[in-house]
Amino acid sequence: MRFVEMIVNRGLSISVFLQLTSLLLPSFLTIIIPIALFFVIVFTYNKLIQDRELIVMRSAGLSQWALAKPALIVALLSTAVCYFLTLFYLPYSYTQFKELQFSIRNDFSSVLLQEGSFTDIDGLTIYVREVGRDNELLGILVHDAREPDAQTTMMAKHGALLRTDEGPRIVLLDGNRQEVNAEDGTMSILYFDRYAVDIAQGSAEEGLRYQEARERSVYNLLTGTPPDIAQHDLGSFRAEGHDRLISPLNAISFASIALAVLVSSSFSRRGQTGRLLVAIGVMVVCQATGIAVKNLAAKNPALVPLMYMNAAIPIALGLYWTFRGPVIKARRAISQEAEA
């Protein structure tokens, strides 16, 4: 929504919008791929059950392993793709995203300033009546509220937006600067021929920009120490590092849940609706638990093992139930016939 706002209100081009969103895709794909795989497996095996094809394959002598193997192979491939994204491509793409975002917010005059509209930039309110040739600005008003106790208002007939090593700067020509004294309410006016206003946001040198967790490698997240990582960020960064190692396993975990519910079950004339709802509910609970445990581990590192357990337990129980479930049901059916 922030990118759409940049297109509508700040004139960001469609090509830059697509570039920004494409650089964010890896972070979404690591979540979407396991969930999409889960629903693909559920749909496929449910269709096999409804068409009696699963019964025919069992009658032909196919084992539980043979029935589940295609889904497990796809799950392993999906896990490999997710590991590539989380370990290698995600830090690179998110770094490129932050650098492009930083460049847009600090260097692109077409995004920063729009004709006939007020633009708020971290305490600065800027109005430009018209943008002339060569980025010349006409009819400029700048209200600087970055220091609440010393707010100033500047007006100029014309000026220009310049790019400097410290970031973008508006040069005002032939104008005045007004400041109200907070103590006695008196106003002072300064007339000038040339006045410069810095509008840079944050550090101008990209090398000094504090990197977020998604921009860092797993090794850096797990081993980094102050001052490279701020002391108050250590817990969240460690949790992010462990989550990078764990989240790809959701593909196998969700696939195991789907197989446990569908492949291990027998045909029922009442349909598979109840079983499908159970599978979806278990998957949602595992996903929600993973998010909750990650947030808790960010505050308390002692809870990190719970993150690994949340991924390992569904895999172990799901695979066990997939390979053992039908055998148990068959034995129960035989025993009941013997009693009768």
Side-chain angles (χ1 to χ4, degrees), residues 310-335:
N310 183 68
I313 291 177
I315 295 175
L317 294 181
L319 294 179
Y320 171 80
W321 194 255
T322 298
F323 299 136
R324 297 288 296 177
V327 176
I328 295 174
K329 289 184 178 181
R331 289 176 178 173
R332 288 180 178 176
I334 293 173
S335 62

Side-chain angles (χ1 to χ4, degrees), residues 286-307:
C286 290
Q287 181 70 22
T289 304
I291 296 174
V293 172
K294 177 185 175 182
N295 293 332
L296 293 174
K299 301 176 181 179
N300 185 2
L303 299 179
V304 167
L306 294 180
M307 298 175 62

Side-chain angles (χ1 to χ4, degrees), residues 135-244:
N135 287 332
E136 181 185 10
L137 307 178
L138 304 176
I140 309 170
L141 182 146
V142 179
H143 179 71
D144 189 350
R146 289 177 290 189
E147 297 183 11
D149 297 332
Q151 299 186 26
T152 58
T153 302
M154 291 147 281
M155 293 182 289
K157 293 182 179 180
H158 56 98
L161 180 65
L162 305 179
R163 299 180 184 180
T164 67
D165 294 337
E166 290 77 22
R169 175 180 297 173
I170 293 182
V171 176
L172 306 176
L173 303 175
D174 192 12
N176 63 79
R177 179 179 182 273
Q178 306 173 19
E179 181 176 356
V180 177
N181 192 312
E183 296 181 357
D184 54 18
T186 59
M187 183 178 67
S188 60
I189 301 178
L190 171 67
Y191 293 92
F192 55 80
D193 293 328
R194 179 185 176 92
Y195 192 89
V197 180
D198 292 324
I199 59 175
Q201 300 177 357
S203 174
E205 299 185 17
E206 296 178 4
L208 299 179
R209 182 173 58 83
Y210 183 69
Q211 290 186 322
E212 297 181 10
R214 291 184 180 180
E215 300 178 72
R216 300 171 184 260
S217 65
V218 173
Y219 178 80
N220 181 262
L221 291 171
L222 297 179
T223 62
T225 56
D228 180 37
I229 299 178
Q231 184 66 38
H232 62 274
D233 285 336
L234 277 177
S236 60
F237 278 37
R238 294 287 191 268
E240 174 67 21
H242 289 289
D243 185 65
R244 295 263 197 93

Side-chain angles (χ1 to χ4, degrees), residues 22-23 25-31 33-34 75-94 214 216-218 243-249 251:
S22 64
L23 291 174
L25 281 179
S27 60
F28 294 115
L29 288 176
T30 55
I31 300 174
I33 289 177
L76 290 174
L77 293 176
S78 301
T79 302
V81 172
C82 290
Y83 268 120
F84 170 76
L85 293 175
T86 58
L87 299 181
F88 303 105
Y89 193 66
L90 177 60
Y92 167 79
S93 65
Y94 200 75
R214 291 184 180 180
R216 300 171 184 260
S217 65
V218 173
D243 185 65
R244 295 263 197 93
L245 297 175
I246 296 170
S247 59
L249 296 177

Side-chain angles (χ1 to χ4, degrees), residues 122-135:
D122 287 352
L124 280 177
T125 301
I126 304 173
Y127 174 85
V128 177
R129 186 183 74 247
E130 182 181 352
V131 178
R133 296 180 180 178
D134 300 326
N135 287 332

